[in-house]
Amino acid sequence: MGSVEPPSVYGYLGQVNRMHDPMRALVVEDDPAWQALLGEILSDLNLEVDVVSTQSEALACIRSLSHRIAVVDLALGDGELNNHEGLQVLAALRDHDPGCSSLLLTGYATVEVAVQAMTDYKALTCLRKSNFDRSEFRGWIERALVRPPVYEEETRSEGAGASGASAMGIEVTDTVSTRSILVVEDDAGWRSILSELLTDADPTHKVRLCNSYGEALGSLQRDTYTLAVVDLALRGAAPLSDTETSDLGGVELIARLQAMDIPVIVVSGVAETSLVTSLYERWSIFAYLEKQTFDRRAFLRTVREAIETASSDRLLDALTPRETEVLGLLAQGMTNKGIAEALVISVNTVKRHLGSIYDKLDVHSRAAATAVAVAGGLPIDDVVEH
């Protein structure tokens, strides 16, 4: 396909009302080569593409037309590092076309700018031109299209979004799954290896591949993950402190994953003892595997254990405080009578609690309930004090 020529913005002012057109895309980019590339990919997805080169043209277009997708370059007009005109375009999209999903494209954005774009201006992700991947970009667009537009004062059903995507010939899949795994690795070869292993081991795994800190952060804002597999040496993240090396962007991501209670398996070529110790003690990673001695079977076994632990944690979260106490005493080997005496309740009350616990944990025996408690890290030694 040939290049997509930038249209005259003022030629279409007022021609279209504010009714949302799910088949329209906006490209805000001042480089003709990037205009052509982005326009070609979007056109191949049956989107009608509007291309503009400046911030003023973009603002005029946003006020006159609704779009389903917008791809915005951070720096418009010149290459100055402090040129963030693209953020103003994202702000206009947020305020005037909230049903439009936007992606920020940049050649040099810092972590702070990427986070600001995704948090303050609701961009789906921040993609770097230096490692732009055509199929990956297309994947972002497809995922955005299968999601229903979200407006400030309006909620759309999943069914409505699915029907719109089906009309465009895009396969609709559930992007939020209890078996979704995030893989963050900037080496294409390792991304391929990890993805193949996870998919072949269990087709129910929904594997999301990211090659930078910024892309991973965007994915975490949209989807829910059971597990994350992370390399330490990631491009695009600032160190957490002056004492940490600037090229270990994965550490910043691990800190965010810990705050979200997502177990992390580190697969990395960085193997300093002090760093590995810090990852376990400070960031509570689930496992650390070295690339130099990588073993596929050990990796898959670790993945299974991490997922089982995460599942157990979610099951335990469903228990009431009293049920947690009962389960903890049960895991210590106490009889129903012993539990009743420890909690100063009747044996019949203990039995009722056990029935509820079995239902919530989907187990049928004391041994199975104990196994879930241990796998979920329930502190059974100090459940109740007397």
Side-chain angles (χ1 to χ4, degrees), residues 322 325-326 329 336-353:
R322 178 62 90 185
E325 289 180 326
V326 171
L329 296 174
N336 289 358
K337 182 179 179 181
I339 295 173
E341 292 175 350
L343 298 179
V344 195
I345 57 178
S346 69
V347 173
N348 285 336
T349 300
V350 172
K351 291 179 179 178
R352 286 196 298 272
H353 284 312

Side-chain angles (χ1 to χ4, degrees), residues 147 173-180 206 222-225:
R147 290 176 172 273
T173 58
D174 181 7
T175 57
V176 178
S177 168
T178 57
R179 302 299 293 269
S180 292
K206 296 181 183 295
R222 290 183 310 281
D223 296 333
T224 301
Y225 294 96

Side-chain angles (χ1 to χ4, degrees), residues 327 330-331 354-355 357-359 361-373:
L327 177 60
L330 172 70
L354 289 176
I357 291 170
Y358 288 0
D359 287 341
L361 301 185
D362 193 23
V363 297
H364 305 285
S365 68
R366 301 170 77 92
T370 299
V372 173

Side-chain angles (χ1 to χ4, degrees), residues 24-25 47-48 107 119 140 147 174 193 197 217 263 312 319 347:
R24 203 170 197 94
L47 291 161
E48 184 175 346
T119 55
W140 276 103
R147 290 176 172 273
D174 181 7
I193 291 172
L197 283 172
L217 183 60
S312 297
L319 301 181
V347 173

Side-chain angles (χ1 to χ4, degrees), residues 141-264:
I141 300 300
E142 290 178 341
R143 283 189 293 275
L145 290 174
V146 300
R147 290 176 172 273
V150 178
Y151 301 94
E152 292 179 350
E153 298 180 355
E154 182 181 21
T155 302
R156 299 293 182 90
S157 67
E158 290 295 330
S163 62
S166 298
M168 298 182 63
I170 298 174
E171 180 182 0
V172 179
T173 58
D174 181 7
T175 57
V176 178
S177 168
T178 57
R179 302 299 293 269
S180 292
I181 299 177
L182 179 66
V183 175
V184 190
E185 168 64 67
D186 59 3
D187 184 285
W190 274 99
R191 279 201 309 274
S192 177
I193 291 172
L194 297 173
S195 176
E196 180 181 347
L197 283 172
L198 292 169
T199 303
D200 290 347
D202 189 344
T204 64
H205 289 160
K206 296 181 183 295
V207 182
R208 168 66 185 137
L209 301 178
C210 295
N211 64 7
S212 70
Y213 171 87
E215 290 183 49
L217 183 60
S219 291
L220 289 170
Q221 290 187 337
R222 290 183 310 281
D223 296 333
T224 301
Y225 294 96
T226 299
L227 174 67
V229 180
V230 179
D231 183 19
L232 286 181
L234 294 176
R235 296 185 296 270
L240 291 175
S241 69
D242 294 336
T243 61
E244 293 174 319
T245 52
S246 60
D247 61 344
L248 296 184
V251 176
E252 167 70 11
L253 181 60
I254 290 170
R256 291 180 175 272
L257 290 165
Q258 182 201 44
M260 300 172 71
D261 292 324
I262 299 175
V264 177

Side-chain angles (χ1 to χ4, degrees), residues 240-380:
L240 291 175
S241 69
D242 294 336
T243 61
E244 293 174 319
T245 52
S246 60
D247 61 344
L248 296 184
V251 176
E252 167 70 11
L253 181 60
I254 290 170
R256 291 180 175 272
L257 290 165
Q258 182 201 44
M260 300 172 71
D261 292 324
I262 299 175
V264 177
I265 296 175
V266 174
V267 179
S268 182
V270 182
E272 286 84 355
T273 302
S274 59
L275 176 60
V276 175
T277 301
S278 175
L279 290 172
Y280 278 109
E281 295 181 350
R282 182 179 179 185
W283 305 116
S284 303
I285 64 171
F286 186 84
Y288 187 100
L289 303 176
E290 294 184 18
K291 289 182 176 179
Q292 296 89 331
T293 58
F294 185 80
D295 181 87
R296 298 184 177 218
R297 286 176 294 182
F299 171 71
L300 292 176
R301 182 175 62 251
T302 304
V303 168
R304 286 193 296 270
E305 293 171 353
I307 291 176
E308 290 172 359
T309 299
S311 298
S312 297
D313 288 343
R314 286 193 299 274
L315 291 173
L316 293 178
D317 288 342
L319 301 181
T320 66
R322 178 62 90 185
E323 289 169 349
T324 300
E325 289 180 326
V326 171
L327 177 60
L329 296 174
L330 172 70
Q332 292 180 26
M334 285 192 179
T335 63
N336 289 358
K337 182 179 179 181
I339 295 173
E341 292 175 350
L343 298 179
V344 195
I345 57 178
S346 69
V347 173
N348 285 336
T349 300
V350 172
K351 291 179 179 178
R352 286 196 298 272
H353 284 312
L354 289 176
S356 177
I357 291 170
Y358 288 0
D359 287 341
K360 291 180 179 180
L361 301 185
D362 193 23
V363 297
H364 305 285
S365 68
R366 301 170 77 92
T370 299
V372 173
V374 173
L378 185 68
I380 61 177

Side-chain angles (χ1 to χ4, degrees), residues 20-25 46-47 66-69 145 149 164 168:
H20 184 76
D21 180 3
M23 298 293 289
R24 203 170 197 94
N46 299 321
L47 291 161
S66 288
H67 296 85
R68 187 67 181 88
I69 296 290
L145 290 174
M168 298 182 63

